[in-house]
Amino acid sequence: MIPEEVLRIAEDIRSMRIRGAGRIARATAEALMIAAEGYKGDLEGFARYMEEVSRVLLSTRPTAVSLPNAVSYIMKAVRKGYGDVREAVEAVVKVATEFKEYSEKALELIAEIGSRIVDDGATIVTHCNSSAVVSILARAWSEGKRFRVYATETRPRYQGYITARDLASRGIPVVLITDSAMTYAVRRADLVLVGADAITSNGALINKVGTSQVALVSRTYGVPFYVAAETYKFSPYTLVGEIVEIEERDPREVLDPLIDGIEVRNPAFDATPPEYIDAIITEIGIISPEMAILVITDFLGHVAMPETVRGYEDSEATNAL
Ligand code: RI2
């Protein structure tokens, strides 16, 4: 029996009460920990039970790779041999805690590293709501830099309002614009800064739908386009040719009630090719998109490597977490 609280976390991720790739990953780690602690059976059934919990969590949202990476990291501990259930549960609690702590630390490091590219007097455009981006802006502001931010509304879920409110609450000047006013904002900007749901092995960015348009406009007007992403948002699955699934959400998020005879599509994410990305700010430094493959093979290594990428399991890869 999967504990109620775990099912509630899964439902909160699905319905986007818990959202943002980083938060989703931490909530997943928390859910696996709660599940382990609530396990009532014997050692034999433990791995099977944890696999079942993983499946429930993995089924919530398909795009942000932070979710399967968190599951992968924790499930590696589950699959090791243990003497009794208590030992196995303790191991899960340990790795889940490690993951959450790493994730929070990564955000702090990204804020510190990323704040260096925010110039005093700059105008910055962001899209959607990324805690990695907000942490960079908050840090730069607290260091005394003065700048203003254009935040897109980000239809249909309006996460741009979260960004705008958060920045305003810190005293950071913020201008809210419709998504269609992207060109208006980018033309006036010195920097575009967005988050990431996944980064593929060739350095493409999967992020909130509309990101690729911001990137195209940035390229047209010569405005640097930066991405802020923790290393666990890099997708090891893409290394073996898997395509990142773009979540298609309920059309009623776009049009409610639906109108007879009108088909509504609601893709939640899109892909920005690496050529449009100047650099990716990670907790291990600012890298070019071409380095994504190294982050996956050498840095994430066996930490978040899925079963399908077995060959790397025994490599001497740096144990990042
Ligand atoms: P952080 C969000 O997805 C946005 O696309 C955002 O750019 C990305 O996650 C990363 O967010 P959604 O959950 O981890 O709103 O930087 O669909 O907070």
Side-chain angles (χ1 to χ4, degrees):
M1 265 274 282
I2 300 177
E4 275 297 310
E5 203 182 343
V6 173
L7 296 175
R8 202 169 47 241
I9 294 174
E11 190 41 41
D12 283 351
I13 296 174
R14 196 187 313 273
S15 64
M16 292 178 69
R17 271 189 294 275
I18 297 174
R19 54 146 296 280
R23 282 194 197 90
I24 289 173
R26 286 191 293 277
T28 298
E30 177 76 23
L32 286 167
M33 187 166 104
I34 296 168
E37 285 173 329
Y39 179 65
K40 301 273 190 292
D42 56 14
L43 182 63
E44 218 171 285
F46 185 66
R48 230 178 312 117
Y49 161 81
M50 290 300 288
E51 298 283 356
E52 196 189 325
V53 175
S54 298
R55 270 196 298 278
V56 170
L57 292 164
L58 289 167
S59 72
T60 54
R61 292 190 74 192
T63 305
V65 74
S66 52
L67 198 166
N69 277 352
V71 168
S72 222
Y73 182 61
I74 292 155
M75 289 305 287
K76 274 205 176 100
V78 170
R79 292 186 198 107
K80 283 185 188 147
Y82 297 101
D84 56 36
V85 177
R86 196 182 45 84
E87 224 178 80
V89 170
E90 272 170 14
V92 171
V93 171
K94 184 170 168 285
V95 288
T97 309
E98 245 168 53
F99 184 89
K100 285 192 292 175
E101 285 173 1
Y102 183 88
S103 167
E104 275 151 19
K105 183 75 194 152
L107 213 49
E108 276 171 37
L109 288 167
I110 286 175
E112 188 191 325
I113 297 167
S115 66
R116 296 178 203 149
I117 62 146
V118 176
D119 289 333
D120 196 36
T123 295
I124 299 150
V125 172
T126 190
H127 181 54
C128 197
N129 175 253
S130 154
S131 47
V133 168
V134 170
S135 66
I136 289 172
L137 298 173
R139 173 72 185 242
W141 188 262
S142 73
E143 285 168 357
K145 289 180 185 164
R146 292 298 168 255
F147 51 87
R148 69 176 175 150
V149 180
Y150 280 107
T152 57
E153 283 186 307
T154 320
R155 255 185 69 80
R157 301 284 303 211
Y158 297 106
Q159 293 98 319
Y161 286 76
I162 306 173
T163 304
R165 266 197 296 269
D166 190 336
L167 296 178
S169 74
R170 298 168 196 269
I172 301 175
V174 58
V175 183
L176 189 70
I177 55 163
T178 60
D179 299 332
S180 328
M182 250 171 217
T183 306
Y184 166 91
V186 172
R187 284 184 71 168
R188 288 161 175 77
D190 305 292
L191 174 70
V192 173
L193 196 52
V194 296
D197 286 271
I199 291 173
T200 66
S201 57
N202 70 337
L205 164 68
I206 313 297
N207 194 46
K208 185 54 54 191
V209 69
T211 302
S212 64
Q213 277 165 277
V214 190
L216 275 166
V217 178
S218 311
R219 180 48 55 102
T220 304
Y221 291 100
V223 179
F225 182 92
Y226 278 67
V227 180
E230 298 87 328
T231 50
Y232 59 78
K233 290 175 187 163
F234 287 66
S235 170
Y237 306 88
T238 57
L239 196 61
V240 286
E242 269 190 42
I243 303 294
V244 178
E245 184 185 338
I246 302 291
E247 178 181 13
E248 186 132 3
R249 296 187 62 85
D250 191 334
R252 280 166 303 186
E253 288 184 349
V254 177
L255 181 66
D256 192 16
L258 293 170
I259 298 171
D260 256 358
I262 299 179
E263 182 188 343
V264 178
R265 300 295 296 264
N266 184 17
F269 302 96
D270 65 20
T272 301
E275 306 83 71
Y276 291 87
I277 301 168
D278 286 280
I280 306 169
I281 305 159
T282 76
E283 75 276 19
I284 55 169
I286 300 181
I287 63 165
S288 67
E290 290 75 31
M291 277 173 70
I293 190 158
L294 294 180
V295 171
I296 293 167
T297 57
D298 292 7
F299 187 74
L300 279 181
H302 45 261
V303 168
M305 217 45 105
E307 301 288 295
T308 44
V309 200
R310 275 282 179 208
Y312 288 95
E313 288 247 310
D314 304 318
S315 76
E316 288 299 305
T318 315
N319 197 335
L321 293 175

